[in-house]
Amino acid sequence: MRPEENRNEERKIKKNKSEGKKPSAEELGSRADTSKSKNKKQKETGKKKKEKSAKEQEEPEYPDFHSDRKNRVKKRAREEDPQEETLVARRKKKVKTETEERAEKTKKDVKVKKEKKVKEEPQIAAGGKRKKTKEEIEAARALKIKKKEEEEQQRWRWWEEEKYEDGIKWKFLEHKGAYFPPEYEPFPDHVKFYYDGKPMALSLAAEEVAGFFAHMLDHEYTTKEVFRNNFFTDWRKEMTLKERMIITDLEKCNFNEMFEFYKNKMEAKRNMSKEEKQKIKEANQKIVEVFGFCLMDQHQERIGNFKIEPPGLFRGRGDHPKQGKLKKRIQPEDVIINCSRDSKIPEPPLGHKWKEVRFDNTVTWLASWTENVQGSCKYIMLNANSKLKGEKDWEKYEVARNLKSRIAAIREKYKQDWKSKQMVARQRAVALYFIDKLALRAGTEKEEGETADTVGCCSLRVEHIKLYPELDGQQHVVEFDFLGKDSIRYYNKVPVKKSVFKNLKLFMENKQGDDDLFDRLNTSLLNKHLNSLMPGLTAKVFRTFNASVTLQQQLKELTDSSANMPEKILSYNRANRAVAVLCNHQRAPPKTFEQSMANLQSKASQKSQANYDNRKQCHRICINKM
DNA sequence: ATCCCCACTTAGTAAAGGACTC
DNA sequence: GAGTCCTTTACTAAGTGGGGAT
């Protein structure tokens, strides 16, 4: 919008205000087709019904951040299918019930008691075979602790050293490059691929890619149409002309023998003798010793991911449009090495060359390559215990700590901005309120069609919220329903301030479901504003801050200093769970979940039956004694 | 102002490891 | 000793945010 248009709008608003009218969305500059570039998705979106005005009702200032979601049944969007019933059951089980927690506690108590008993009775423990195992376990545990302590002692105490000048990440860096996955090993001759019922020999390249698919045959991915289509298209590219002429329909492909071969191989691996397993472990250990460490400024640092990602089929999450595409094998010729000029430059694998060797000490990565599916950069970096990661982490929490002293003023400011005459300020203020109150992510814009359709705060669309003037006895309720990072569903019903509610209505006026809710806002604008309020402040800091506050509050609330260790651990886990709820952290239940739960339930019912029988028996004895 | 690239953090999933139980 | 369960680690996809080019 040009400045004079802006002024005109402001005048209009003023005029309306003096006449007692509320500004319309258009007057404030909210039109669906305005400034913000959009990633519109082709989706059926029903027009949202206009909400009726609601009575004034203020929600508590800053309630605990998760209380209204505590008992919410969360679900992942991909679970919205005919199997809903069983999946709901799975989800319910996911959040542990109080009973389970108690069981957990009892179990832990018993465990601690047992351990105590072993310690108190060394003479008994010394004799039998079983006791010896316990001792061995104890010894192993002690060894582990000792090793950790030693590691801790050897640790680079970088925080006691002077910081480097701005932007300089290291002064000396030497490493061994990257570890490349082993070459493709073809299937033995007896393992065949069948096309249209007939065995068909494949070229090496085509066979390798077929193997990737065969490997995943028991995974849900291979049933998804997008995955199958992408795989098939990319697979055909790897085929010889002749193969391509024959193989034209994925439905006619039979990978079962390949799948069985992999399954048997895994099984055989599982059944290996201890010695064989040990051998493999030692071989892996050697690889880690060579490639897993680097020398940085006179300190040995562990590398987080020294292995080049092996080829395979891309496993994008949610409805990723590129799922199933072939992730190609990375060659040394694709890899850029970064190290010190005066270090021993890593050798590329025999007969190969690096793409480039550079000496850039303003970045933290040791090697990088561009991945073919999304065209994004992949890096080899140090692990989380390293100086570089630790320092960054420290800084992150420092910024969050700084926010603590400014949060009151910042909250005050955005509340004032809810009444701003400028649409952009209003949108910014409401978005910030959500980010602060609900720990939403910023919501950076993404290229349409390149990734799954997920959003964060700034990229919320009209279709992602519903307004209820009144719901379940609460007023001004906003219902959020969208897919966030990793296509994890965010579903929440939140009572908001009346002015937020009114603003949302305004933002939604004259818009379609697939229009941006905050059409005047993007993360760049928001972050610029935040930076002006406090140096280093960005949208993501609020998540760190509120997660930390929640953890601290919950720990204080739940922990009793006189409690024993298992009780304290339980409190800690509960506090962490509160943070997980706030941040909408979710994991899919493990594949074995149904069975495990069934086992537990049968055990529980057996136990309660036994208890009942016991009580009956006692009762009888008591009666007899009377 | 917008786009795009780059560097880096965050977080879910799968595999590995290890303790416990029957 | 096998099976199960739980924890830890490895892997890598998916975000955020800065900065330069257009």
Side-chain angles (χ1 to χ4, degrees), chain A residues 258-274:
Chain A
M258 294 169 149
F259 173 66
E260 285 302 320
F261 173 76
Y262 283 129
K263 223 167 89 178
N264 293 339
K265 214 172 158 184
M266 294 242 286
E267 183 69 20
K269 199 180 165 191
R270 216 174 301 132
N271 294 333
M272 268 183 205
S273 68
K274 259 189 179 171

Side-chain angles (χ1 to χ4, degrees), chain A residues 123-310:
Chain A
Q123 57 277 63
I124 304 168
K129 198 182 164 191
R130 177 144 182 91
K131 301 285 177 192
K132 204 179 162 195
T133 323
K134 286 252 171 189
E135 275 185 348
E136 277 172 4
I137 291 166
E138 278 298 316
R141 208 174 275 161
L143 196 75
K144 213 172 163 183
I145 293 168
K146 203 180 160 194
K147 212 175 152 190
K148 269 210 165 152
E149 276 171 1
E150 272 175 19
E151 246 169 50
E152 198 53 43
Q153 276 189 347
Q154 285 174 7
R155 198 184 172 132
W156 179 4
R157 303 179 74 79
W158 48 263
W159 54 92
E160 290 168 1
E161 291 174 15
E162 210 172 305
K163 273 192 169 181
Y164 293 158
E165 63 227 80
D166 234 16
I168 301 301
K169 304 288 164 55
W170 45 264
K171 293 189 175 163
F172 180 84
L173 173 62
E174 184 171 282
H175 57 91
K176 285 284 175 9
Y179 177 78
F180 286 83
E183 282 300 305
Y184 174 61
E185 211 179 289
F187 285 100
D189 289 341
H190 69 271
V191 179
K192 290 191 168 53
F193 161 75
Y194 296 84
Y195 187 72
D196 209 5
K198 291 177 212 107
M200 178 178 172
L202 294 172
S203 65
L204 212 63
E207 190 197 85
E208 182 179 9
V209 181
F212 296 152
F213 191 80
H215 212 299
M216 295 175 71
L217 226 50
D218 59 346
H219 201 290
E220 199 196 343
Y221 270 123
T222 55
T223 64
K224 292 185 179 174
E225 203 187 328
V226 179
F227 188 95
R228 293 173 69 87
N229 288 342
N230 282 334
F231 156 72
F232 196 55
T233 308
D234 279 6
W235 183 33
R236 278 171 56 82
K237 286 180 199 159
E238 299 300 308
M239 291 176 192
T240 61
L241 190 62
K242 204 177 148 198
E243 284 167 341
R244 205 161 29 237
M245 299 278 275
I246 299 168
I247 304 170
T248 53
D249 184 0
L250 182 57
E251 297 301 323
K252 291 180 180 167
C253 296
N254 178 345
F255 304 94
N256 286 342
E257 280 189 16
M258 294 169 149
F259 173 66
E260 285 302 320
F261 173 76
Y262 283 129
K263 223 167 89 178
N264 293 339
K265 214 172 158 184
M266 294 242 286
E267 183 69 20
K269 199 180 165 191
R270 216 174 301 132
N271 294 333
M272 268 183 205
S273 68
K274 259 189 179 171
E275 292 73 34
E276 284 172 310
K277 279 183 183 168
Q278 187 59 27
K279 250 187 191 169
I280 292 175
K281 203 176 165 184
E282 277 163 16
N284 284 335
Q285 204 58 46
K286 266 191 185 147
I287 296 171
V288 175
E289 276 162 26
V290 176
F291 292 95
F293 296 88
C294 73
L295 191 61
M296 181 171 280
D297 299 335
Q298 282 124 45
H299 294 271
Q300 202 183 47
E301 291 271 58
R302 215 170 155 182
I303 299 168
N305 57 324
F306 56 87
K307 288 180 178 168
I308 296 281
E309 291 175 19

Side-chain angles (χ1 to χ4, degrees), chain A residues 366-528:
Chain A
L366 319 190
S368 75
W369 69 92
T370 303
E371 158 266 0
N372 69 293
V373 176
Q374 316 215 68
S376 65
C377 240
K378 298 274 190 171
Y379 301 93
I380 288 182
M381 290 183 186
L382 299 188
N383 91 342
N385 291 329
S386 62
K387 174 198 175 183
L388 286 179
K389 296 285 182 187
E391 209 168 35
K392 215 53 199 292
D393 220 34
W394 184 314
E395 280 167 17
K396 175 182 80 181
Y397 286 108
E398 279 307 305
V399 177
R401 266 154 50 88
N402 281 344
L403 179 55
K404 196 181 176 205
S405 60
R406 317 241 185 151
I407 190 73
I410 289 171
R411 285 176 177 159
E412 205 42 55
K413 165 87 177 115
Y414 69 60
K415 280 176 191 171
Q416 277 172 14
D417 282 347
W418 291 340
K419 288 170 262 165
S420 169
K421 287 166 189 168
Q422 285 188 306
M423 188 53 141
V424 63
R426 283 197 187 206
Q427 292 196 351
R428 198 180 59 203
V430 172
L432 190 50
Y433 171 67
F434 288 158
I435 286 172
D436 183 23
K437 184 182 167 69
L438 305 171
L440 300 191
R441 294 189 181 82
T444 324
E445 285 158 83
K446 311 194 293 178
E447 212 174 321
E448 182 190 348
E450 294 292 301
T451 57
D453 176 20
T454 62
V455 296
C457 187
C458 293
S459 49
L460 278 171
R461 300 193 294 266
V462 169
E463 63 197 337
H464 294 133
I465 66 166
K466 269 187 198 157
L467 303 180
Y468 297 95
E470 198 177 335
L471 187 73
D472 303 330
Q474 288 177 307
Q475 292 197 301
H476 310 125
V477 176
V478 184
E479 183 185 64
F480 292 83
D481 192 351
F482 61 90
L483 297 184
K485 182 179 178 179
D486 295 313
S487 295
I488 300 287
R489 187 185 183 197
Y490 183 91
Y491 181 78
N492 200 1
K493 285 179 201 159
V494 205
V496 299
K497 300 277 190 189
K498 189 184 174 191
S499 42
V500 170
F501 194 85
K502 277 165 90 178
N503 269 316
L504 288 171
K505 261 171 91 176
L506 188 67
F507 303 159
M508 289 163 85
E509 260 175 33
N510 303 322
K511 286 188 192 169
Q512 302 284 322
D514 60 351
D515 289 329
D516 286 312
L517 178 65
F518 302 116
D519 57 292
R520 294 304 175 98
L521 188 67
N522 59 43
T523 51
S524 173
L525 274 173
L526 176 64
N527 283 335
K528 264 181 201 149

Side-chain angles (χ1 to χ4, degrees), chain A residues 63-79:
Chain A
D64 83 1
F65 289 97
H66 45 83
S67 61
D68 49 349
R69 303 180 59 208
K70 259 181 193 161
N71 300 314
R72 208 177 57 232
V73 178
K74 289 181 284 185
K75 64 177 184 179
R76 316 187 67 160
R78 68 159 183 248
E79 292 176 351

